Amino acid sequence: MKIALAQLNPTVGDIKNNCEKIIMYIKEAKKANMDLIVFPELSIIGYPPKDLLYNPDFLESSYSALNELILPETNDIGVIVGTATKDKEKDYMLHNSALLLYNGKIIGQADKTLLPNYDVFDEQRYFEPAKSRTCFDFKGMRLAVNICEDIWNDKDFWERPRYDIDVLEEQYKLNPDIFINISASPYNLGKQELRTKMVKQISKKYKLPLIYVNQVGGNDELIFDGNSFAINSNGDRVVNLRSFSEDIAFVDTENLDELKPLQEIKEDISWVHDALILGLRDYFRKTGFKKAVVGLSGGIDSAVTCALAVKALGRENVLGVSMPSRYSSEGSKDDARDLAQNLGIQYRVIPIEDVFKSYISIFNKDGNVLGDLAEENLQARIRGNYLMFISNREGYMVLTTGNKSEIAVGYCTLYGDMSGGLAVISDVPKTMVYKLAKYINRDKIIIPLSTIEKAPSAELRPNQKDTDSLPPYEILDDILKSYIEDDKSISEIVSDGYEEDLVRDVIRKVNNAEYKRKQAAPGLKVTTKAFGVGRRMPIAQRFRP
């Protein structure tokens, strides 16, 4: 059978345009004489649709689009497409379904069995699991179609499977010729290597080929990397679609075993770079914004954020604003200017000194600075107000520049540097920010070398350094990863070689900063555990490890 793998970037709720994109690929597959074309999970409505699924008009629109737009295009070609469907017995319940369409009719339906309810996933809130496993008989082949999580429960791959049901094991007993998985699998660094390793083992185990079609694109915090592929019955990955881009590929099941295996995938910092650019670009495109403004401090975080914005949106759509205070070093002011020149963006210098003095004269009776935390935060809030004024008047979206390390321990200011519409690097630890900076500079100097080489500082008081308040970032990031991403206990982290008092202090800071993170702009997820929807901690709680 000749099968097309169509890797789409749908927009949640933009049903008409999603369907037009689906139809475009159907026509392309027809021209290539394909028997079947496969689209990602929930590709008609976009993933994740969240509480839009509770809106009856939303569901009716998806049904109408399926019947009126897609089905008429399925003459002489099979189409596997993902959408939400009503339960046949209880129409107030929904399934996450893969539909097989052919010659204007729905000739098969496979519902998702395993509904993830961890990390960023909340599918048990919306869907009912499949009542049984099934296969489609189509053009002389038996297709075992499953959906995303359904393949993530192989008891021979995972030490602790999450679910009692092994979907592939049950489908294998139905004597399929091929597994086909449609997915909307969010990206994090290391994800593609993991899923490829897992799926290769599945194909070897069952001695069956497997086709995997994944969504691509950014939807709110989540970034989908695409990277759809075909694995032959020997467990070799023989076809791979592009990373972080829409794509289509054609395979013939008769010669999959004859194709040369592709090289093993090795993810590096370039994957994080490309993921952030896609997430940023799609966030703007799908919300209707076109222009971004970034506060340029001369530090590495704002430099990396601005460079990513230029790559995602174009230099003509990015504005850099330097807002120096009495504590801003000449080197930092020069670095901000040089970065803007290197990127070729619009650049403004708006000092905050006069406004800062006005505040001081109101709150300090003698008009002298005290140098306390309130005055440090005041400077950040003045800058935040400047940027939000520009946003309101000129139509720019403010990009916040805080990294994961700072946000984790509360080294950020509410209504100050946290003000904005998107937190681009909020899931990027500080040590990874430096790796991104070096990658951005791989061909030529874009981020000034002095920005990369100087000691990090908020420059909110004389001679301030981040290490005045925090351990070195190499140490801090290791502790944060252990606590936040790996869920290690204090004793486990201490056993890794860190001082107990330091570990407890870092964890205390993380717990105490939860109220700040609840008020932060949405951030792009690139690690296994991001703040936001993936980590749901109470603010008012008294547990202290």
Side-chain angles (χ1 to χ4, degrees):
M1 182 182 291
K2 295 179 179 179
I3 303 176
L5 288 64
Q7 182 172 285
L8 295 191
N9 183 349
T11 299
V12 172
D14 193 0
I15 294 169
K16 183 176 181 292
N17 284 323
N18 292 343
C19 288
E20 288 177 353
K21 193 173 288 189
I22 289 169
I23 291 167
M24 178 187 71
Y25 280 111
I26 290 174
K27 291 179 177 178
E28 189 171 341
K30 282 183 178 180
K31 288 180 182 177
N33 296 315
M34 294 291 107
D35 299 301
L36 177 70
I37 183 169
V38 183
F39 292 97
E41 177 182 11
L42 295 185
S43 46
I44 290 177
I45 59 179
Y47 186 95
K50 298 186 179 178
D51 281 11
L52 285 173
L53 290 166
Y54 292 138
N55 187 322
D57 292 336
F58 177 73
L59 293 171
E60 288 301 323
S61 295
S62 69
Y63 304 148
S64 297
L66 172 65
N67 290 310
E68 297 171 13
L69 299 178
I70 297 178
L71 279 174
E73 301 292 336
T74 60
N75 291 328
D76 302 320
I77 189 169
V79 176
I80 293 176
V81 67
T83 193
T85 62
K86 290 182 180 179
D87 186 271
K88 292 179 173 60
E89 297 175 1
K90 302 174 182 178
D91 66 1
Y92 56 87
M93 292 182 177
L94 298 177
H95 292 286
N96 181 339
S97 302
L99 302 180
L100 175 59
L101 318 176
Y102 186 59
N103 284 339
K105 296 180 181 179
I106 300 173
I107 65 170
Q109 177 174 329
D111 299 327
K112 190 172 185 176
T113 299
L114 307 182
L115 303 175
N117 218 48
Y118 58 89
D119 192 37
V120 300
F121 305 107
D122 207 5
E123 292 197 27
Q124 292 177 30
R125 177 181 174 93
Y126 307 107
F127 298 116
E128 287 289 306
K131 297 178 176 65
S132 61
R133 267 44 68 199
T134 188
C135 289
F136 300 151
D137 291 313
F138 183 69
K139 292 195 174 185
M141 287 191 71
R142 176 155 265 226
L143 315 177
V145 178
N146 42 65
I147 303 175
C148 202
E149 187 83 353
D150 288 344
I151 63 171
W152 289 79
N153 198 50
D154 180 7
K155 62 180 179 296
D156 295 322
F157 184 82
W158 300 103
E159 183 178 341
R160 296 178 181 175
R162 292 180 181 271
Y163 311 93
D164 294 331
I165 298 173
D166 188 328
V167 174
L168 297 188
E169 186 71 29
E170 291 190 19
Q171 287 185 315
Y172 181 70
K173 293 175 182 178
L174 301 174
N175 298 313
D177 297 304
I178 190 171
F179 289 119
I180 297 177
N181 180 269
I182 66 170
S183 280
S185 178
Y187 179 71
N188 59 259
L189 183 60
K191 185 71 165 286
Q192 175 65 352
E193 291 183 27
L194 173 63
R195 71 163 75 103
T196 303
K197 183 179 178 182
M198 175 189 71
V199 172
K200 288 175 70 171
Q201 179 166 312
I202 288 170
S203 289
K204 286 181 181 179
K205 175 181 177 179
Y206 295 111
K207 295 181 172 55
L208 288 175
L210 188 149
I211 284 175
Y212 172 88
V213 180
N214 190 28
Q215 177 175 294
V216 69
N219 284 326
D220 292 352
E221 301 99 328
L222 302 183
I223 303 165
F224 301 86
D225 58 302
N227 276 299
S228 306
F229 52 73
I231 305 281
N232 65 22
S233 59
N234 301 318
D236 299 319
R237 184 172 53 91
V238 292
V239 174
N240 208 96
L241 278 67
R242 289 185 292 176
S243 307
F244 307 110
S245 177
E246 288 189 322
D247 201 4
I248 188 170
F250 306 126
V251 301
D252 189 335
T253 58
E254 289 188 8
N255 66 12
L256 281 178
D257 288 349
E258 301 168 10
L259 297 177
K260 183 179 179 181
L262 300 175
Q263 289 185 341
E264 293 297 319
I265 292 172
K266 296 296 181 184
E267 297 175 53
D268 55 25
I269 196 63
S270 69
W271 287 62
V272 175
H273 175 268
D274 294 349
L276 292 172
I277 288 170
L278 175 61
L280 199 164
R281 180 185 295 131
D282 270 5
Y283 192 79
F284 272 66
R285 180 173 64 85
K286 295 177 181 182
T287 59
F289 276 84
K290 293 181 171 58
K291 302 187 296 180
V293 58
V294 183
L296 298 182
S297 66
I300 194 163
D301 297 320
S302 61
V304 167
T305 300
C306 195
L308 292 171
V310 168
K311 194 73 174 178
L313 308 174
R315 66 185 62 186
E316 69 279 7
N317 293 314
V318 178
L319 168 65
V321 181
S322 171
M323 297 165 285
S325 75
R326 64 181 67 181
Y327 305 121
S328 299
S329 67
E330 290 302 316
S332 291
K333 289 187 279 189
D334 291 343
D335 285 346
R337 182 200 63 227
D338 292 348
L339 173 74
Q341 290 177 348
N342 293 345
L343 290 171
I345 62 171
Q346 302 174 65
Y347 180 63
R348 301 177 193 172
V349 179
I350 312 176
I352 69 169
E353 182 63 26
D354 289 345
V355 176
F356 182 59
K357 282 182 178 178
S358 296
Y359 270 101
I360 295 300
S361 67
I362 294 171
F363 289 105
N364 295 351
K365 292 181 180 179
D366 57 6
N368 294 321
V369 296
L370 301 180
D372 60 359
L373 182 62
E375 292 180 358
E376 290 186 26
N377 288 342
L378 173 59
Q379 296 167 69
R381 290 183 175 124
I382 294 170
R383 290 173 173 136
N385 280 332
Y386 279 15
L387 294 176
M388 290 307 302
F389 182 89
I390 292 170
S391 172
N392 291 161
R393 174 160 285 179
E394 302 179 43
Y396 288 90
M397 180 186 288
V398 179
L399 300 180
T400 72
T401 61
N403 62 68
K404 186 174 188 176
S405 309
E406 295 171 347
I407 293 170
V409 295
Y411 202 65
C412 49
T413 304
L414 277 174
Y415 327 119
D417 56 304
M418 294 180 70
S419 298
L422 182 67
V424 179
I425 60 170
S426 64
D427 196 36
V428 180
K430 185 77 168 189
T431 49
M432 191 183 289
V433 173
Y434 282 98
K435 292 179 182 178
L436 280 172
K438 292 176 181 177
Y439 181 76
I440 290 166
N441 280 0
R442 64 194 181 279
D443 295 325
K444 62 178 181 178
I445 300 300
I446 294 174
I447 297 174
L449 293 180
S450 52
T451 297
I452 297 173
E453 294 168 355
K454 67 187 174 186
S457 169
E459 293 193 334
L460 298 174
R461 65 173 183 264
N463 302 314
Q464 184 180 27
K465 298 288 185 292
D466 288 5
T467 49
D468 296 342
S469 307
L470 302 172
Y473 281 111
E474 293 80 5
I475 295 173
L476 177 63
D477 284 355
D478 280 348
I479 295 173
L480 292 174
K481 182 180 183 302
S482 295
Y483 182 60
I484 296 166
E485 297 179 40
D486 300 336
D487 294 317
K488 287 187 178 182
S489 66
I490 288 176
S491 60
E492 288 175 314
I493 300 173
V494 170
S495 69
D496 290 336
Y498 297 103
E499 296 180 4
E500 183 172 344
D501 287 346
L502 173 61
V503 173
R504 289 189 178 277
D505 183 58
V506 169
I507 290 175
R508 179 187 60 80
K509 285 182 168 71
V510 172
N511 294 339
N512 288 347
E514 189 61 38
Y515 76 100
K516 289 187 178 183
R517 294 189 290 270
K518 284 290 193 297
Q519 301 176 69
L524 301 176
K525 180 182 186 298
V526 292
T527 71
T528 56
K529 182 75 71 175
F531 296 122
V533 294
R535 188 175 187 271
R536 308 176 196 184
M537 303 296 286
I539 297 173
Q541 57 95 2
R542 293 189 177 181
F543 174 73
R544 295 294 181 267

